[in-house]
Amino acid sequence: MGELTITKEKVLQALSTVEEPDLKKDLVTLNMIRDIEVGVNQVTFTVVLTTPACPLKELIKKNCTDAIHTHLNPDVKVTVNMTADVTSIRNNAPVLAGVKNIIAISSGKGGVGKSTVTVNLAMALKKAGAKVGIIDADISGPSIPIMFGAENMQPLITQKDGKNMITPIMQYGIKMISIGFLTPADSAVVWRGPMASQALRQFFGDVDWGDLDYILIDLPPGTSDIHLTLVQTVPLTGAVVVTTPQKVALADVTKGASMFRQQQINVPILGIVENMAYFTPAELPDNKYYLFGKDGGKNMAEKLNVPLLGQIPIVQSIREGGDDGRPVMMDETPIVSEAFKNAAEELARQVAIRNASGEKTVRVEVR
């Protein structure tokens, strides 16, 4: 080809045959194709994904290249640039206005590793290129400061629009707030429900979060005042439920999940994370020992008809990362980091699918 026979219009026509696998519409209709440039025997364009953590990124890229070769010219050089703009249905939100997606991380039971899952999902999303924050809503037992090695840090107070605002702690690229940053580390927070609920409201309204793609809310165990305050204060994108495989955990976690599904609350469950799914010793990475039973979280996801986001192994490096204040996702530990990466990608995928429906979650009104 010595002349320009390919036009932007023809490129769009070719790419209109490429379907976004999850949203079931073509990329052109979804306005995911930008910055088309054509030259002699070459085409360049950008695909704007719904999340930087898209697990189907390479498939979409390949399908775009194949579409150009099939519908235009098999010899043309195709350059596909991949970027992302995280979707949201929270337009003009009065609280957490700059946050695109608010995700509750819940369990209904203590001891299932909910905070560990929250921290490492946040790190995996951040490493994929997303802007992420964490709210530690476990007022009486905050653990986020320890897991990020930030227990001695204190947030600053700044003026914004004539109002005193708390600047969240930034650690490893994650913005976070916790009552653990505001009280002495060795002092118990002995508060009645209304005081704890008021603290959570301040984390929403008095913290300068700026612009974030995702904010993960690490909830306390059970279904308490904190949970009700959460759904009454902000409309959630959805909830993630964390469980371990054994029956005694599943019974409590199922009750916790049912709270979000009550008619007056109606928060979508984005999926289940099965934590401590199996034990793999470092010296035998191919071996799996099902200490707490097998596939309990997977079976729960099938029963609730929600996605299984991932099965996280129980290995020593996860515990060490939490104790040392350096989440295991920081060090690309084999097996573990892959499990959290896959779970985060599936979470981001479910958020994008949920947002594509256009149905907003509304705040629970107290009557």
Side-chain angles (χ1 to χ4, degrees):
M1 276 175 60
E3 58 181 298
L4 294 176
T5 60
I6 295 178
T7 65
K8 292 183 180 180
E9 290 72 22
K10 289 181 179 179
V11 172
L12 285 173
Q13 288 175 6
L15 294 177
S16 68
T17 65
V18 180
E19 183 180 78
E20 208 288 340
D22 291 321
L23 305 184
K24 307 303 180 185
K25 294 181 181 179
D26 70 87
L27 302 185
V28 176
T29 298
L30 292 170
N31 195 31
M32 294 174 65
I33 305 298
R34 312 274 175 86
D35 305 327
I36 298 174
E37 296 181 4
V38 297
V40 176
N41 210 29
Q42 60 183 352
V43 174
T44 301
F45 55 89
T46 299
V47 178
V48 183
L49 302 170
T50 55
T51 171
C54 178
L56 305 173
K57 183 183 302 183
E58 293 305 315
L59 174 64
I60 293 172
K61 186 175 183 178
K62 179 182 182 300
N63 290 347
C64 287
T65 301
D66 291 347
I68 298 297
H69 287 159
T70 299
H71 296 282
L72 296 183
N73 189 309
D75 298 321
V76 70
K77 179 183 177 182
V78 181
T79 302
V80 185
N81 299 314
M82 308 296 284
T83 186
D85 184 11
V86 175
T87 59
S88 178
I89 51 176
R90 301 195 65 246
N91 298 332
N92 301 316
V95 181
L96 299 177
V99 179
K100 291 184 175 181
N101 296 286
I102 306 171
I103 302 168
I105 312 293
S106 177
S107 65
K109 177 178 176 58
V112 299
K114 175 177 46 55
S115 296
T116 298
V117 169
T118 300
V119 164
N120 285 288
L121 284 179
M123 285 302 311
L125 289 169
K126 186 266 175 186
K127 292 186 77 169
K131 293 179 288 185
V132 187
I134 296 176
I135 292 178
D136 188 353
D138 193 348
I139 303 300
S140 60
S143 52
I144 295 300
I146 294 174
M147 290 187 167
F148 274 97
E151 58 265 50
N152 295 320
M153 296 184 182
Q154 291 183 324
L156 299 175
I157 305 295
T158 59
Q159 281 267 330
K160 186 174 182 178
D161 299 329
K163 179 181 178 181
N164 286 336
M165 298 292 288
I166 300 171
T167 301
I169 298 294
M170 175 77 85
Q171 185 76 316
Y172 307 138
I174 306 286
K175 291 182 179 180
M176 66 192 83
I177 196 67
S178 169
I179 199 69
F181 297 131
L182 305 171
T183 58
D186 56 353
S187 297
V189 180
V190 186
W191 288 353
R192 293 187 183 275
M195 293 179 66
S197 296
Q198 180 58 30
L200 181 60
R201 291 191 190 94
Q202 287 187 283
F203 289 168
F204 293 138
D206 295 343
V207 177
D208 186 9
W209 289 106
D211 294 327
L212 294 174
D213 295 317
Y214 307 97
I215 197 162
L216 307 186
I217 302 177
D218 184 23
L219 289 168
T223 51
S224 62
D225 286 349
I226 289 293
H227 298 71
L228 292 175
T229 299
L230 172 62
V231 297
Q232 289 171 0
T233 306
V234 292
L236 296 175
T237 303
V240 172
V241 178
V242 181
T243 187
T244 47
Q246 71 267 42
K247 186 176 180 180
V248 67
L250 293 169
D252 288 343
V253 173
T254 300
K255 295 174 185 176
S258 68
M259 183 204 79
F260 292 108
R261 289 187 154 184
Q262 290 183 13
Q263 185 176 359
Q264 67 271 32
I265 294 178
N266 195 29
V267 170
I269 296 178
L270 299 169
I272 306 291
V273 174
E274 183 182 307
N275 195 29
M276 309 181 202
Y278 54 88
F279 168 64
T280 294
E283 64 274 14
L284 297 170
D286 295 327
N287 289 27
K288 293 182 179 180
Y289 302 94
Y290 297 93
L291 304 181
F292 302 115
K294 185 177 180 181
D295 290 339
K298 179 181 178 181
N299 295 334
M300 177 184 175
E302 292 174 356
K303 179 181 177 181
L304 296 177
N305 193 28
V306 299
L308 177 69
L309 301 180
Q311 293 175 299
I312 311 299
I314 176 171
V315 298
Q316 185 173 330
S317 59
I318 297 179
R319 192 275 305 164
E320 290 175 342
D323 286 351
D324 294 342
R326 186 177 174 84
V328 71
M329 273 301 301
M330 293 283 295
D331 298 320
E332 293 291 343
T333 304
I335 301 175
V336 179
S337 59
E338 190 68 18
F340 278 119
K341 175 178 176 290
N342 292 341
E345 288 179 346
E346 186 60 26
L347 171 59
R349 177 172 173 244
Q350 292 303 322
V351 168
I353 293 172
R354 182 259 183 279
N355 287 343
S357 72
E359 296 179 4
K360 296 184 179 182
T361 306
V362 299
R363 291 187 303 107
V364 174
E365 299 291 339
V366 180
R367 292 183 174 86

